[in-house]
Amino acid sequence: MIPVAFDYLRPASVDEAVAALADGGEDAKVLAGGQSLIPVLRLRLSAPSLLVDLGGVAQLRGVREEGDALSIGAMTTHDEVASSPLVRRHAPLLAAMAATIGDRQVRHRGTLGGSLSHADPAADMPAAAAALEARYVLAGPSGRRVVSAADFAVDLFTTALADDEVLVEIQVPKMDGWGSHYEKFHRMVQAWAIVGVAAMVRRTDGVIESARVTLTNMGPTALRATAVEQALAGCAADRAAIEEACSVAAEGTSPIDDLTASAEYRRHLARVLAGRAVAAAAGV
Amino acid sequence: MTATDEREVGAARRRKEDARLITGRTRWTDNLTVPGLLHMAILRSPFASARIVSVDTSAALSRPNVVAAFSGADVADVQGSLPCAWPVTEDIVHPDRPPLAVDVIRHHGEAVAVVVARDRASAMDALEAIEVDYEPLTPVLDLEEALAEGSTLVHPDKGTNLSYTWVFDSAAAGTGADVGAVDAEVVLERRYVQQRLIPAFMEPRSVIVDPGAGDYTIWSSTQIPHILRVFYALLTGTPEHKIRVIAPDVGGGFGGKLHVTPEELITFMAARRIGRPVKYTETRSETMLAGHHGRDMIQDVRLTARRDGTVTGISVKLIANMGAYLGLVGPGTPILGAFMYNGIYKFAAYRFECTGVFTNTTLTDPYRGAGRPEATYLIERVMDELAVELGLDPIEVRRRNWIKKEEFPFTTVAGLVYDSGDYDAATDKALALLGYDELRKEQELRRASGDPVQLGIGTSTYTEMCGLAPSRILGALRYAAGGWETASVRVLPTGKVEVVTGVSPHGQGHETAWSQIVADELGVAFDDVEVLHGDTRTSHKGLDTYGSRSLAVGGIALVEACRKVRDKARTVAAHMLECSPDDLEFTGGAFRVRGTPDAAKTVADAAFAVFAAHDLPDGIEPTLDADATFDPETFSFPHGTHLCAVEVDTQTGHVAIRKYVAVDDVGKVINPTIVEGQVHGGVAQGIAQALHEEAVYDESGTLVTGSFVEYTPPAAADLPDIVTDRTETPATTHPLGVKGVGEAGTIASTPAVVNAIVDALRPYGVRDVPMPCTPERVWRAIRAVGTETEGGRS
């Protein structure tokens, strides 16, 4: 289909982008990789009057090392994240998750910042950001601010970004020494996750010292499975103990009931997949 | 000269059409333009059932670039009714089907009004300015509710939602016993549901109508340009010779373009009203919503057998969803399966009853296999059930019932004569390729150890009736047209050959296969043959492509035309060589004098001699052209054995196909690469029905699987490697020996996959999983049996 007509700007800097959004008002929309926005426009489910395309802002792209963290530009594509030696070394969870998104074309167009800003509950990257306790750098008319992953994700398709703000970069603490795994369950290889579970585990000998477990598509935003994390702390790194700890993975979740899967089935999957993700992250 | 000793038929030629098709550097309808072309967009109903109170197109007319806008009411007196060419019974209820809805909406997505503009974007924009006042009504969606007393009616004026009931009974037909009068030591009753599918061809449908000066040229992305031309003449009152229909390269169909569509008629009306060429190309959303759907039936089966595994009879009752109207061949689609529910087996008695029902849904019509996948699914599923009931291996119970090689030709209980086949050979080959015995051992080990990942093996030993179709049989089944096919072969002065075929390829590779046949028949090079198709000006007659008929019917016409040409060329060559035609033999691509092989003339030599015409034998026309039309005496019956091994994760319900083996017997093979491609594509679509695809309407009649996010055909990464092999038992009913392959993979594969899933879950008491077997459904099937006692076993 053909979208409703719109104006189009392709700024060369973050400041220009922010100014364009401020001028455009409520009906302006940021275009990143376009993997969610363009289909919505084509189906005429949305009709913004202005698109501000960030594709021309070179400073928004790429992975840099900054002390104890990686700084990933918001317009870095999923493919670049998946294949970045820095990400693979210091945040392998993020690289592994990026490699599961869509198909090759989608990964070459879709961006980390676009996915996080769109905040689709079925998207993988918010669960990675939550598990990594990433920090988000936002630029607006009055300057820049830094927001935690927990504060950035507000609700279904809703983030802390104001209409005139642009997500600039994501800062990911280096997680050397942690094992990690993303267990994604979907009907079709290229489809959204029905449920996904990201796990990061630090273990000493046979004991899990600390764990982070986050859930994709089990609520309006990516969720921290805090009950599981608590149960895993100090837990023996064996399959039975892990499965026991993960039996509470669906606690506090509110998954949707839709054509793809029922809420009941999603809760069941969360428990099974959490066990598998944690076991894999713990090297069990 | 280019004559060659090597046989083209049987060679794994790369397809000559692929370079242009794969790169898209070709003529798809939507790529074409003509001077003054306008673009049409269609407003479609958001409701499944509604009364149209009013449609106001005036605001759309004032939008930029808009040339015309009209609704069904504006054309009510000229638009007529779309055709159904297969009214299967005398008393069939056959409601009118206006291209544009006039006062009633009967399914979500029905066309309501159109805008014609100078560009497509303007036409789409202006749709939003059309004001329609609908009075929504309660839709009828459930098949059994639609048949119940007092149901809301899709067509109140008809007084019923029942379109027809069609019955076959072997006792009445004299082809077998009465199903009630055979041994019934074992009785199995099962219900299966064939979910609704959407033929997801790659190229959305597109049509251009150029009204010229009263002589219409129409390009359409259709499988049936010849049939479409006839219907354009009948429906619009335009003389047939003033209509030229062209199907340029067409990007897939799978039956989904075997239709005379509302859109083709609406575009025609727009072009005629405005007097300028108009193009309409649907969006993918429109394909999903308003292109016809396939399958959608409830199947109840009662199978009787003796305890030794001999099946004595089978009784099948179908309720088939017609949708809101009758499609071009919609009522006949389940009837194509009627002769196949006995499969490859020797049953004593058979009864079949099909009831066609109207609902407020998009109409159904053929989708790859059309009736035969449904039949094969049922019989192959229930044969597995019988095996379990009797404690027999599923292969063994089939072997005890199938027709043996030496019993061909065999008249089945459904009255068809199967000419040839070798079910033992195909099955033995498939079992070896799968490693059946080893997998059974592994299955036992996994069962014994309580492995959360269980292994299952599914069998499907299928046959199908292909090569549609003998015209007399079609007539007896009340189909409006025949089933013959035609070919013209013309040899140009320099020895190049043009072939005109009446079939209409949309991805099958006809140009390659036809070239191979001609190369052998006439002794010319593969590259010296040009195959022309799909344009009624060059190919004035034909019955187009569907039902695995192109090669099995059109290929025979081609061979016969080639042989007429060769006979003429022989006479000319004999004259040139100053010998009798009887002294010549055709070998190595040339006519050679017996005993003096160096004295030779090729077809090309004869062609130039004919072109010059200076010295031809008396009474010989100066031409090497010939036509042939072939009407098959019977169907062809490809068969095969497909085996599927799946791993089912019992914790999540996820199904992974571990190995898939397809051994097909499609008779003589012209091009093994094409055959393998057809099997791969067919198997992919059959797996898709088993695991992935389902068109779903919500309780308001809204199609909720309206895009490829919700309706999920598999991508390459979702499919297993497919091990293919063949046995070759040539058809005995015509000179080419071919049987057809276009639908085989789809027909065979669906039950193989579902049988494998159910086999994996037998220890859990599961005996069925409804299609598509999504992870949640598999998980629920395990849980349902785990928490209840198994009931209803008959």
Side-chain angles (χ1 to χ4, degrees), chain B residues 611-634:
Chain B
F611 171 64
H614 296 164
D615 180 21
L616 294 178
D618 290 343
I620 289 290
E621 276 184 85
T623 168
L624 274 191
D625 300 353
D627 298 340
T629 300
F630 174 73
D631 196 346
E633 280 175 31
T634 180

Side-chain angles (χ1 to χ4, degrees), chain B residues 32-225:
Chain B
L32 300 171
T33 190
V34 289
L37 184 65
L38 301 173
H39 299 263
M40 188 177 83
I42 298 180
L43 184 71
R44 295 181 180 279
S45 168
F47 298 105
S49 179
R51 184 164 309 286
I52 300 174
V53 178
S54 64
V55 183
D56 184 354
T57 56
S58 56
L61 273 172
S62 60
R63 289 291 188 101
N65 295 319
V66 171
V67 175
F70 58 91
S71 68
D74 296 327
V75 293
D77 52 341
V78 295
Q79 67 172 343
S81 175
L82 288 155
C84 170
W86 203 344
V88 292
T89 59
E90 245 173 81
D91 60 351
I92 189 169
V93 173
H94 180 185
D96 282 347
R97 182 186 171 206
L100 273 171
V102 178
D103 45 17
V104 182
I105 293 298
R106 294 190 177 85
H107 69 85
H108 180 204
E110 192 163 359
V112 173
V114 302
V115 171
V116 181
R118 291 190 181 84
D119 63 89
R120 194 172 177 216
S122 297
M124 284 188 167
D125 283 343
L127 287 183
E128 293 178 359
I130 298 176
E131 283 179 27
V132 186
D133 187 3
Y134 296 101
E135 182 190 316
L137 303 170
T138 305
V140 188
L141 300 166
D142 182 87
L143 281 176
E144 289 176 302
E145 282 173 24
L147 285 174
E149 195 76 27
S151 169
T152 305
L153 299 175
V154 179
H155 299 276
D157 57 317
K158 299 295 182 189
T160 177
N161 287 323
L162 193 154
S163 175
Y164 69 88
T165 299
W166 191 97
V167 178
F168 176 88
D169 190 308
S170 61
T175 55
D178 185 317
V179 285
V182 290
D183 287 352
E185 294 168 12
V186 182
V187 179
L188 294 180
E189 290 182 348
R190 296 289 186 271
R191 165 169 284 203
Y192 299 114
V193 176
Q194 298 286 329
Q195 78 270 35
R196 179 177 282 248
L197 300 178
I198 300 177
F201 38 75
M202 201 176 286
E203 179 209 13
R205 298 169 306 162
S206 180
V207 58
I208 299 171
V209 177
D210 183 348
D215 48 344
Y216 288 82
T217 306
I218 296 149
W219 292 262
S220 183
S221 173
T222 179
Q223 293 175 227
I224 52 165

